[in-house]
Amino acid sequence: MPAKVDMDKIVSLCKRRGLIFPSSEIYGGLASCWDYGPMGVELKRNVRDAWWKSIVHERDDVVGLDTSIMMHPGVWAASGHIDSFTDPLVECKSCHLRWRADAVEGQGCPKCGGELTEPRMFNLMFKTSMGPVEEEASTIYLRPETAQGIFVNFDNVITTSRKKLPLGIAQIGKSFRNEITTGNFIFRTREFEHMELEYFVKPGTDEEWLDYWVKERFDWYVKLGVRKENLRLRQHGKDELAHYARDCYDIEYLFPMGWSELEGIANRGDFDLIQHAKCSGKELSYYDNEAGEKYVPYVIEPSAGVDRSVLAFLVDAYDEEEVEGEKRTVLHLHRSLAPIKVAVLPLSRNEKLTPLAKEVFNKLCPNFVTDYDDSQSIGRRYRRQDEIGTPFCITIDFESLEDKQVTIRERDSLAQIRVPVKELKKVIEAKLKGEAFDASALWATRQK
Ligand code: ATP
């Protein structure tokens, strides 16, 4: 089943409206690296915040952590990343392009059809050296996942947080993987951001908790507006499981290039804590006071990508509609994800309108991310706000000077209501919390 939007349209909208730019563009760009522009940085921050809110703030069984990207190299030996974090790589003998062997269909090079070398295992971790002397002892790695920073702090968190198991530790941060094949915009890049939860449970309760987290994470995307029919679950086959996993589900999304992984939820068992205890010599276990027993917890890990989620939210929100004979492109982003919540748009740059428009802006901007725009025609300004998904636009017209009321236009329904300036903050607040747009019977509703 084809997805409804081409990736090219998403890439071009992102460039045009300041969401995402190619990295180092004035130097010709750097393959698969992207920069988030003024609108993109807000969207990305909102995705992170929505995750943190649902995983950490709205629960009392999860705490947060922020560990360093560079870690002791022993961590990666213990975790298995030095030996096993590899992909099979093949190279074309004619054009010398390199491919991930498991992504090549057929026998020859996907580009020129040339003969391919035998696969060899390629480690995906970026190596660098710490300190001024480049010698073997100073070799370190950029983390390929944030999870290991959590495992090595397990004891610190348990002893300081005064929490009982089950307990989750959550982290958001950059990860780096020297992927053989990147592409599909921000879907697979070599530098990206992870949102990971390690949820520590009593062995024997792990299967139940895996089911719980699979459902919880699936519902998170739906709650934030992703259409259910564009999401599906896929359980990993036994031959596909990572070296640490006992069981794993992928939440897949129908991206423009087809169904692909959006998030993975794995049962990591006690693999990581046992490995780190063995390699560090430090005991990593939990003493259950009530039961009077000690055990090594099992871990359920929902692991999502910030950038890949941003892409899914953009693709799902993108729409082209016809309104009164004109085409409009619109992002139907969930209110909590929209980069700008409200735009203040005086009907024109007429100097009589400016003071009231500025007054409205100053009243709103400490409370909501607010944009002020008085350039070009009102129609073009609406179009710009629609394209970045702004849920509410406020127009100040000449009537506003008389009756101190302004018009709020809602992005999806295009309905408009008239609201007194002094009520504006309260009304926008309620609408951003999800109050129906036409429910405000307090003031006259204008028909469009
Ligand atoms: P893939 O098979 O797609 O490379 P993976 O199974 O190796 O991903 P995990 O290690 O399970 O990925 O990472 C969890 C999540 O982190 C993924 O579902 C994805 O959202 C994100 N992620 C992983 N690698 C990348 C990458 N190179 N670029 C962007 N996001 C990534």
Side-chain angles (χ1 to χ4, degrees):
M1 184 169 53
K4 69 185 170 71
V5 54
D6 293 342
M7 193 71 95
D8 290 352
K9 287 197 173 174
I10 299 289
V11 177
S12 130
L13 172 75
C14 285
K15 174 86 205 292
R16 187 164 79 242
R17 293 304 184 193
L19 286 147
I20 301 166
F21 308 126
S23 163
S24 323
E25 196 180 7
I26 60 170
Y27 286 95
L30 180 64
S32 94
C33 292
W34 301 91
D35 296 341
Y36 286 77
M39 294 302 116
V41 75
E42 298 293 338
L43 173 59
K44 196 179 182 193
R45 176 189 295 248
N46 293 338
V47 170
R48 277 194 219 109
D49 287 352
W51 187 88
W52 196 262
K53 185 165 177 276
S54 96
I55 297 286
V56 183
H57 289 169
E58 290 179 352
R59 315 178 56 100
D60 68 354
D61 58 350
V62 178
V63 293
L65 197 66
D66 185 7
T67 68
S68 74
I69 286 172
M70 295 182 283
M71 299 179 76
H72 190 289
V75 169
W76 308 113
S79 67
H81 281 82
I82 290 180
D83 288 338
S84 309
F85 195 56
T86 50
D87 274 342
L89 176 141
V90 288
E91 187 174 327
C92 172
K93 290 181 180 169
S94 343
C95 73
H96 298 290
L97 276 179
R98 291 171 166 191
W99 306 92
R100 227 171 101 166
D102 52 356
V104 175
E105 282 169 17
Q107 296 295 311
C109 169
K111 179 88 189 292
C112 71
E115 195 190 336
L116 297 169
T117 59
E118 282 301 306
R120 67 181 168 89
M121 294 319 270
F122 173 78
N123 195 294
L124 300 184
M125 281 198 294
F126 277 98
K127 253 190 214 169
T128 186
S129 46
M130 189 170 235
V133 190
E134 272 194 45
E135 57 190 32
E136 188 59 24
S138 66
T139 296
I140 58 157
Y141 302 91
L142 301 185
R143 68 177 178 202
E145 61 178 32
T146 67
Q148 298 305 325
I150 297 178
F151 296 128
V152 301
N153 275 292
F154 173 72
D155 206 47
N156 283 333
V157 176
I158 285 288
T159 51
T160 56
S161 67
R162 306 169 51 81
K163 301 252 186 203
K164 293 196 180 81
L165 253 54
L167 177 70
I169 308 177
Q171 168 154 237
I172 300 180
K174 290 260 180 171
S175 291
F176 302 83
R177 295 181 181 183
N178 200 2
E179 303 275 6
I180 299 167
T181 30
T182 54
N184 288 316
F185 195 28
I186 53 172
F187 177 83
R188 185 176 284 109
T189 51
R190 297 194 171 101
E191 172 182 344
F192 63 97
E193 227 171 306
H194 256 140
M195 308 188 274
E196 296 191 300
L197 167 67
E198 306 306 319
Y199 195 77
F200 298 90
V201 305
K202 187 175 179 176
T205 63
D206 48 308
E207 287 177 19
E208 250 169 80
W209 280 112
L210 178 64
D211 292 347
Y212 170 87
W213 280 109
V214 167
K215 179 170 183 326
E216 195 67 13
R217 295 301 306 144
F218 191 97
D219 290 349
W220 183 77
Y221 294 100
V222 176
K223 214 172 81 191
L224 287 172
V226 176
R227 275 161 289 183
K228 245 186 180 160
E229 65 266 29
N230 291 342
L231 288 165
R232 72 178 188 194
L233 278 178
R234 192 180 69 81
Q235 186 176 18
H236 282 210
K238 288 271 171 271
D239 53 335
E240 212 190 331
L241 289 173
H243 63 276
Y244 52 76
R246 303 169 73 90
D247 197 359
C248 187
Y249 285 85
D250 284 348
I251 298 177
E252 296 188 331
Y253 178 74
L254 185 56
F255 286 99
M257 64 285 185
W259 288 101
S260 313
E261 175 181 337
L262 175 57
E263 165 163 355
I265 300 128
N267 180 350
R268 293 180 82 124
D270 55 10
F271 176 85
D272 303 271
L273 290 182
I274 296 250
Q275 278 298 107
H276 286 305
K278 201 161 75 188
C279 299
S280 70
K282 165 109 184 143
E283 189 180 341
L284 297 172
S285 59
Y286 175 75
Y287 182 72
D288 184 336
N289 268 322
E290 274 155 33
E293 56 174 328
K294 191 159 83 171
Y295 54 83
V296 178
Y298 274 22
V299 180
I300 306 303
E301 176 195 67
S303 173
V306 179
D307 315 78
R308 211 175 273 187
S309 303
V310 164
L311 183 60
F313 288 125
L314 283 171
V315 167
D316 217 75
Y318 185 95
D319 206 0
E320 288 171 10
E321 304 172 347
E322 204 167 295
V323 177
E324 287 160 5
E326 271 193 49
K327 194 188 106 179
R328 82 157 178 161
T329 302
V330 56
L331 287 183
H332 296 289
L333 285 171
H334 188 275
R335 321 173 278 284
S336 64
L337 299 180
I340 303 281
K341 308 297 178 205
V342 44
V344 176
L345 312 174
L347 194 63
S348 70
R349 243 186 202 163
N350 187 299
E351 59 185 27
K352 288 200 182 113
L353 295 176
T354 311
L356 182 62
K358 287 279 181 198
E359 183 192 321
V360 168
F361 175 76
N362 290 331
K363 210 178 157 95
L364 297 177
C365 73
N367 306 289
F368 319 105
V369 182
T370 309
D371 191 16
Y372 183 92
D373 188 2
D374 64 0
S375 61
Q376 302 180 315
S377 75
I378 188 79
R380 291 182 80 148
R381 282 179 281 155
Y382 278 147
R383 227 166 304 151
R384 171 169 181 274
Q385 298 299 337
D386 286 343
E387 287 201 350
I388 56 173
T390 306
F392 303 110
C393 288
I394 296 179
T395 318
I396 291 100
D397 54 25
F398 290 98
E399 229 178 300
S400 308
L401 302 178
E402 306 294 318
D403 62 5
K404 291 286 185 289
Q405 296 200 1
V406 294
T407 303
I408 311 180
R409 167 196 184 264
E410 200 259 338
R411 176 197 67 200
D412 298 341
S413 63
L414 294 169
Q416 303 194 359
I417 56 172
R418 218 43 204 167
V419 174
V421 172
K422 62 177 180 10
E423 303 291 339
L424 209 45
K425 183 182 155 227
K426 213 172 68 193
V427 173
I428 297 282
E429 216 158 58
K431 304 298 179 204
L432 283 172
K433 281 196 182 131
E435 183 184 276
F437 193 74
D438 56 359
S440 174
L442 283 175
W443 303 283
T445 300
R446 274 191 180 172
Q447 296 305 314
K448 54 171 176 90

